[in-house]
């Protein structure tokens, strides 16, 4: 811990040091290095524990318990450095170990060491992405990385534009914003009152962010038309075309179709080629929300599932999902260069002076909605350097193989029913666990009512024991089912076996 001596005053401080003796305090170097070394030690212990299968995924406490057990309130007087370190330990003690091999709860899991190092570095640099003059290397890395991602989408030479945004929901909203501007550029100055009633189309299994973007942009959620899906969760192109024609007959203007490459629940990939044909026929902007499934472009074995993505006008791709980049890391890719700049620029003269001594095209801030923008690219770039494309490919292929392993283990196993027939397209495996008490029951309303309660109880028990975490949800007329997703390369067949055993152990008595 710390020496009981103030390097600033030369006097003891009741045996404790205060944060005021850290840099930039005069002669604060030794205290600062000692403090940060202790923080690093805490972090390294947490990292090691995250990969230890004998540790809990979560030390679960109810909100009122945590509020009562610790004093989280902010005070007028500073804490000592010793107390600050205790705060760090306590926070991590109750944090979910999202890097744990048995954490399957969300689409963003795993803990990559190079990505973690890159995150630490960007926090230390603490700069902004709006101009080349304050983020020279980071701006260049964003330029290089976005071009490479556009190449992988299939746009010749990586042509086009793009930006890293705070998440897939914002990337999808950017696409909607740019598509509207492309069709009606006057909306930028005159607003929605100056243009016709716009409508967008997306599948009934698409991410809620499409509607949220429509609400934020003043288009309105009622103007987002949901297209029917088949039994596997894929958009039905014939229904899309029918709804487009209906909208046009009502005098509405179709301006965007948002197809999904990897739906959140089923992991379905919409038929992009057929959708692209329809968008071309009716001159509608085609966006592909590949937040979850975009990573499959790294895999020679699985990238066919995104065939047709090269015909899109814009693509969302979240490397913080299947590629395991630390949160947050989401890219919007746009096929037409210069469109983002025209759509969003405001010519702020205190940032984007036109008489600078370098190439102004590298001042990228005016094409973003944000002013302050975090450095997200460095994590992805450094991981890509460390793994190469082939490393990401192996990681993604492994996760899909694990999903297939789980599917094969449970598809004919007593006590399990699949939500849809056939092998999953992505790592989403959707199933019901049927406790022994329900297995001989007739498939009626009472059985559905009881089955609906099974997954929530098992999930609650998982969290209380802290052994594993997996998500559940209802969908349409289907009552609560488990949605198992795998994006953590640390997971193994043994972890899948453990999950199955744990579900059965915790659900036998239901």
């Amino acid at each position: 811990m710390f020496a009981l001596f103030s390097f600033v005053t030369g006097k003891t401080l009741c045996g404790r040091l205060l944060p005021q003796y850290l840099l930039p305090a005069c002669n604060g170097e030794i205290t600062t290095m000692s403090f940060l070394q202790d923080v690093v030690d805490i972090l390294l212990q947490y990292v090691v524990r995250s990969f230890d299968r004998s540790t809990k995924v979560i030390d679960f406490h109810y909100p009122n318990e945590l509020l009562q057990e610790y004093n989280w309130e902010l005070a007028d007087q500073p804490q000592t450095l010793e107390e600050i370190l205790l705060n760090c330990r306590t926070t991590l003690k109750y944090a979910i170990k999202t890097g744990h091999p048995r954490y399957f709860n969300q689409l963003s899991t795993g803990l990559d060491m190079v990505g973690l190092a890159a995150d630490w570095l960007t926090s230390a640099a603490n700069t902004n992405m709006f101009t080349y003059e304050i983020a020279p290397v980071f701006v260049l890395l964003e330029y290089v990385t976005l071009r490479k991602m556009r190449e992988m989408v299939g746009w010749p030479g990586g042509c086009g534009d793009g930006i890293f945004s705070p998440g897939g929901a914002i990337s999808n909203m950017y696409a909607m914003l740019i598509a509207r501007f492309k069709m009606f550029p006057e909306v930028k100055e005159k607003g929605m009152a100056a243009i016709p009633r716009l409508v967008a189309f997306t599948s009934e299994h698409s991410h809620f962010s499409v509607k949220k973007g429509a609400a934020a942009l003043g288009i309105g959620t009622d103007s987002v038309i949901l297209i029917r899906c088949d039994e596997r969760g894929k958009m039905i192109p014939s229904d899309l075309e029918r709804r487009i024609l209906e909208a046009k007959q009502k005098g509405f203007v179709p301006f965007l179709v948002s197809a999904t490459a990897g739906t959140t629940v089923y992991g379905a990939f919409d038929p992009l080629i057929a959708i692209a044909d329809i968008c071309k026929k009716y001159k509608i902007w085609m966006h592909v929300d590949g937040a979850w499934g975009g990573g499959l472009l790294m895999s020679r074995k699985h990238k066919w599932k995104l065939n047709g993505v090269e015909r899109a006008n814009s693509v969302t791709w979240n490397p913080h999902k299947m590629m395991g980049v630390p949160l947050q890391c989401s890219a919007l890719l746009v096929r037409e260069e210069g469109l983002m700049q025209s759509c969003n620029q405001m010519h702020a003269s205190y940032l984007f002076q036109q008489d600078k001594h370098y190439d102004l095209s590298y001042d990228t801030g005016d094409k973003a909605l944000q002013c302050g923008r975090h450095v997200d690219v460095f994590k992805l770039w450094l991981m890509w350097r460390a793994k190469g494309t082939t490393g990401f490919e192996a990681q993604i292929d492994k996760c899909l193989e694990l999903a297939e392993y789980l599917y094969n283990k449970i598809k004919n196993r007593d006590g399990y029913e699949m939500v849809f027939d056939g092998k999953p397209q992505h790592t989403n495996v959707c199933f019901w666990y049927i406790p022994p008490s329900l297995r001989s029951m007739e498939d009626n309303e009472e059985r559905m009512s009881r089955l609906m309660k099974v997954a929530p109880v098992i999930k609650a028990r998982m969290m209380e024991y802290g052994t594993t975490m997996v998500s559940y949800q209802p969908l349409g007329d289907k009552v609560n089912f488990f949605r198992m997703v795998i994006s953590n390369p640390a997971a193994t067949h043994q972890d899948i076996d453990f999950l199955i055993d744990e579900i059965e152990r915790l659900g036998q008595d239901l």
Side-chain angles (χ1 to χ4, degrees):
M1 192 57 68
F2 296 105
L4 306 181
F5 186 79
S6 165
F7 296 102
V8 176
T9 65
K11 299 176 183 177
T12 60
L13 267 167
C14 302
R16 294 181 175 182
L17 290 174
L18 295 172
Q20 68 199 58
Y21 299 116
L22 299 173
L23 288 172
C26 181
N27 299 321
E29 294 88 346
I30 297 176
T31 308
T32 298
M33 292 181 69
S34 178
F35 170 70
L36 290 180
Q37 183 61 60
D38 283 338
V39 172
V40 169
D41 289 345
I42 291 169
L43 292 171
L44 293 179
Q45 290 169 23
Y46 178 79
V47 167
V48 171
R49 286 198 302 270
S50 291
F51 292 92
D52 182 354
R53 287 172 174 80
S54 68
T55 64
K56 290 183 175 183
V57 173
I58 172 178
D59 185 357
F60 180 77
H61 287 65
Y62 289 96
N64 62 316
E65 293 175 336
L66 281 181
L67 285 171
Q68 292 169 11
E69 189 170 348
Y70 295 95
N71 177 16
W72 306 99
E73 298 303 319
L74 298 171
D76 292 335
Q77 299 304 314
Q79 286 188 317
T80 66
L81 292 178
E82 187 177 42
E83 289 168 325
I84 294 298
L85 289 170
L86 182 60
N87 294 158
C88 293
R89 291 190 183 91
T90 302
T91 301
L92 286 181
K93 172 178 169 60
Y94 297 107
I96 312 299
K97 296 189 183 76
T98 57
H100 197 290
R102 291 173 180 169
Y103 175 81
F104 304 108
N105 205 65
Q106 252 76 47
L107 306 185
S108 306
T109 66
L111 183 58
D112 186 271
M113 297 303 104
V114 174
L116 178 62
D119 218 358
W120 290 351
L121 186 147
T122 54
S123 291
N126 193 34
T127 194
N128 207 314
M129 287 294 288
F130 44 55
T131 61
Y132 176 82
E133 68 181 88
I134 64 165
V137 176
F138 295 135
V139 165
L140 294 180
L141 296 183
E142 185 172 67
Y143 171 81
V144 168
T145 305
L146 288 170
R147 184 182 62 194
K148 180 67 173 179
M149 294 174 79
R150 292 192 299 266
E151 284 179 6
M152 301 195 78
V153 166
W155 296 334
C159 66
D161 207 340
I163 203 162
F164 283 91
S165 79
I170 303 300
S171 291
N172 288 340
M173 188 177 74
Y174 266 123
M176 190 171 284
L177 179 72
I178 297 164
R180 182 179 65 177
F181 176 82
K182 174 69 175 177
M183 184 172 282
F184 295 104
E186 63 269 28
V187 73
K188 181 176 177 180
E189 288 81 23
K190 302 184 183 303
M192 289 293 292
I195 65 175
R197 169 78 180 273
L198 302 181
V199 288
F201 305 84
T202 192
S203 89
E204 57 188 353
H205 284 206
S206 66
H207 195 261
F208 67 84
S209 59
V210 180
K211 281 196 169 186
K212 185 170 280 192
L217 297 176
I219 295 165
T221 58
D222 287 349
S223 296
V224 177
I225 297 171
L226 300 182
I227 307 303
R228 289 192 298 111
C229 294
D230 63 19
E231 68 282 355
R232 296 295 300 269
K234 301 179 183 182
M235 184 191 292
I236 300 172
S238 60
D239 192 54
L240 171 62
E241 186 163 22
R242 179 180 70 83
R243 299 303 298 274
I244 289 172
L245 291 172
E246 279 183 2
K248 289 169 73 71
Q249 287 167 3
K250 293 176 181 177
F252 302 152
V253 178
F255 82 107
L256 174 135
V257 173
S258 181
T260 311
T263 58
T264 305
V265 179
Y266 282 7
F269 289 77
D270 287 341
L272 301 182
I273 294 174
I275 292 169
D277 289 341
I278 293 169
C279 288
K280 181 180 179 182
K281 180 177 179 179
Y282 295 101
K283 297 181 173 59
I284 303 173
W285 183 284
M286 179 183 173
H287 174 63
V288 174
D289 178 5
W292 175 219
L296 270 60
L297 290 169
M298 302 294 245
S299 168
R300 286 167 289 186
K301 182 178 180 181
H302 295 285
K303 66 181 180 181
W304 64 269
K305 297 168 187 176
L306 289 98
N307 283 350
V309 69
E310 71 282 355
R311 296 177 61 186
N313 298 97
S314 57
V315 177
T316 292
W317 178 353
N318 285 10
H320 68 228
K321 290 184 176 169
M322 270 308 294
M323 295 168 66
V325 177
L327 283 162
Q328 62 196 22
C329 189
S330 173
L332 175 75
L333 311 172
V334 182
R335 189 166 62 187
E336 182 177 336
E337 189 173 0
L339 193 56
M340 290 192 75
Q341 187 83 5
S342 300
C343 179
N344 295 319
Q345 66 184 350
M346 289 295 161
H347 305 287
S349 59
Y350 69 94
L351 279 177
F352 309 115
Q353 303 93 339
Q354 296 304 297
D355 53 359
K356 291 181 179 180
H357 64 290
Y358 58 81
D359 184 348
L360 296 179
S361 68
Y362 292 104
D363 282 359
T364 58
D366 216 10
K367 67 183 178 184
L369 287 178
Q370 300 164 262
C371 181
R373 192 160 64 89
H374 187 259
V375 177
D376 293 327
V377 66
F378 190 65
K379 296 172 288 190
L380 171 58
W381 179 85
L382 199 65
M383 285 175 62
W384 211 325
R385 297 277 283 194
K387 295 174 184 287
T389 305
T390 56
F392 276 124
E393 177 182 45
Q395 176 177 315
I396 289 163
D397 286 353
K398 177 187 177 183
C399 289
L400 278 121
E401 186 277 324
L402 285 173
E404 187 171 352
Y405 174 80
L406 171 61
Y407 168 73
N408 288 331
K409 287 273 290 190
I410 65 174
K411 65 179 178 179
N412 297 316
R413 188 182 180 99
D414 285 345
Y416 292 86
E417 290 180 14
M418 306 309 299
V419 173
F420 55 81
D421 294 331
K423 185 173 74 173
Q425 271 204 293
H426 206 354
T427 71
N428 308 51
V429 183
C430 299
F431 61 92
W432 288 282
Y433 172 69
I434 316 296
S437 66
L438 301 184
R439 291 177 194 173
S440 59
M441 280 188 71
E442 186 180 344
D443 189 6
N444 54 26
E445 190 173 330
E446 181 188 354
R447 183 179 186 271
M448 286 297 102
S449 178
R450 291 178 60 180
L451 182 58
M452 178 177 65
K453 301 172 184 175
V454 170
V457 172
I458 293 176
K459 171 66 175 288
R461 292 175 177 179
M462 282 178 178
M463 293 180 68
E464 288 168 358
Y465 280 103
T467 51
T468 186
M469 285 180 70
V470 61
S471 183
Y472 73 86
Q473 67 283 302
L475 185 68
D477 61 353
K478 295 177 171 61
V479 299
N480 286 322
F481 56 86
F482 285 111
R483 179 203 61 167
M484 171 69 173
V485 288
I486 305 169
S487 57
N488 187 348
T492 64
H493 288 176
Q494 289 72 31
D495 296 312
I496 303 301
D497 295 339
F498 176 86
L499 174 73
I500 295 170
D501 292 342
E502 195 68 351
I503 288 173
E504 294 173 358
R505 180 180 77 88
L506 297 174
Q508 280 291 314
D509 63 334
L510 298 179

